[in-house]
Amino acid sequence: ALELAEELAEGLWDAGLPGDLPELEPECRSLLAAFAEGSAALTGCLGRRARPVRLCQGCHGHYRRLLAQYGSIVRAVGNSSESHNCAKSILTSDRLQIVVTLSEFFNETWEAANCANCLKNNSEGLSNSTEEFLDLFNKSLTCFEHNLQGQAIDLSPNNYTEVCKNCNETYTKLNDLYNHLQRMNRHGGESAHSAHLCIDVEDAMNITRKLWSRTFNCSLPCSDTVPVIAVSSFILFLPIVFYLSSFLHSKQKKRILILPKRIQSNASLVNIQEKYS
């Protein structure tokens, strides 16, 4: 009975219904089908690349195509009267407005991921700085894996000295580049969309830092050690300098106050000596 009802409904729809239920024009059906396929492709891409996060680098092509498909719907008028053009029929003819809702969801997700900060201005590919970072990131992971394999025969599984020693240079370059990209982004470097880097870069750096500091228990030598020590020493010695200068200043004032009394007493002594001489 259910199959019969579905076939009857499809037959009525295909035959065309009069009144307020006009069938979509072939052009509009084609646009809607393209948007549906694009939405499915982008959804699948986002889901597959959710962990580890590779949204921006792997799905920017799907997102760009979906934007174009949505734009085609917005601009499409169709061959029928203006009241039943493609844009109105597909986008605003019902309360749910599924196509609009889906488009807003994808846009909000893309903006929340700050993907524009990983891509070129035309969004056709990754920016040069992002490619450089991902290359260093892959080299760091390869270095970790290679040195862990060489340490497999070690009886101490928590001894990662080889990883720390041999991968220090690569990790330092990666960490320095990440900090540089953060500073550039705050001052409007390749993209001025947000103060955050894209989620792909942030997640990659978080993974690497956790491996380096927590798993391998490595430490990164600070290149600013000497300036930090100098500033810290200066701050620590400030109270000593303050109290010493206060002490010397008060002692000097005491000398100035006592000096006239001595001069006066010496003068009195001279007068007394002259008086009895």
Side-chain angles (χ1 to χ4, degrees), residues 64-254:
R64 191 173 66 253
R65 282 190 291 273
L66 190 69
L67 286 181
Q69 290 161 350
Y70 184 80
S72 297
I73 293 175
V74 172
R75 292 188 298 270
V77 176
N79 297 322
S80 59
S81 63
E82 186 178 354
S83 60
H84 293 127
N85 61 60
C86 289
K88 184 175 181 180
S89 298
I90 296 175
L91 302 179
T92 60
S93 60
D94 60 83
R95 178 174 59 84
L96 287 180
Q97 299 181 9
I98 295 296
V99 173
V100 175
T101 302
L102 285 174
S103 178
E104 290 177 350
F105 166 75
F106 289 124
N107 289 334
E108 290 171 1
T109 302
W110 201 253
E111 291 176 4
N114 295 304
C115 287
N117 291 333
C118 274
L119 304 173
K120 297 176 181 177
N121 289 333
N122 55 9
S123 299
E124 291 182 354
L126 297 175
S127 64
N128 295 333
S129 59
T130 303
E131 289 184 343
E132 182 183 0
F133 174 86
L134 293 176
D135 180 60
L136 277 175
F137 169 68
N138 292 328
K139 287 181 179 178
S140 298
L141 295 185
T142 302
C143 184
F144 294 164
E145 183 179 4
H146 175 74
N147 285 275
L148 285 174
Q149 290 175 351
Q151 227 171 281
I153 59 174
D154 196 341
L155 297 178
S156 304
N158 294 325
N159 183 15
Y160 299 111
T161 54
E162 291 298 315
V163 176
C164 300
K165 180 178 67 174
N166 296 331
C167 302
N168 179 71
E169 182 179 356
T170 306
Y171 176 78
T172 302
K173 289 181 180 179
L174 179 71
N175 192 68
D176 291 345
L177 178 58
Y178 180 80
N179 294 333
H180 173 70
L181 292 178
Q182 278 189 318
R183 290 192 296 270
M184 278 186 59
N185 209 54
R186 292 193 190 101
H187 294 87
E190 293 186 50
S191 176
H193 289 81
S194 171
H196 291 281
L197 296 174
C198 75
I199 191 64
D200 293 29
V201 171
E202 289 183 342
D203 185 70
M205 195 68 234
N206 287 338
I207 290 173
T208 314
R209 283 176 172 172
K210 287 178 182 178
L211 287 172
W212 182 260
S213 60
R214 297 182 185 178
T215 304
F216 306 139
N217 198 26
C218 302
S219 59
L220 182 64
C222 182
S223 59
D224 298 330
T225 302
V226 174
V228 169
I229 293 176
V231 173
S232 301
S233 302
F234 175 75
I235 294 175
L236 289 174
F237 278 103
L238 274 179
I240 299 175
V241 173
F242 173 76
Y243 287 115
L244 182 61
S245 61
S246 299
F247 173 76
L248 294 176
H249 183 68
S250 61
K251 192 172 182 180
Q252 183 67 25
K253 288 183 68 176
K254 187 180 292 184

Side-chain angles (χ1 to χ4, degrees), residues 12-26 28-29 80-81 83-85 88-90 93:
L12 289 174
W13 183 262
D14 292 336
L17 294 175
D20 295 332
L21 295 174
E23 183 182 0
L24 284 175
E25 298 178 12
C28 302
R29 280 183 176 276
S80 59
S81 63
S83 60
H84 293 127
N85 61 60
K88 184 175 181 180
S89 298
I90 296 175
S93 60

Side-chain angles (χ1 to χ4, degrees), residues 252-262:
Q252 183 67 25
K253 288 183 68 176
K254 187 180 292 184
R255 285 182 178 179
I256 294 174
L257 292 174
I258 293 175
L259 185 59
K261 294 182 180 180
R262 291 181 178 177

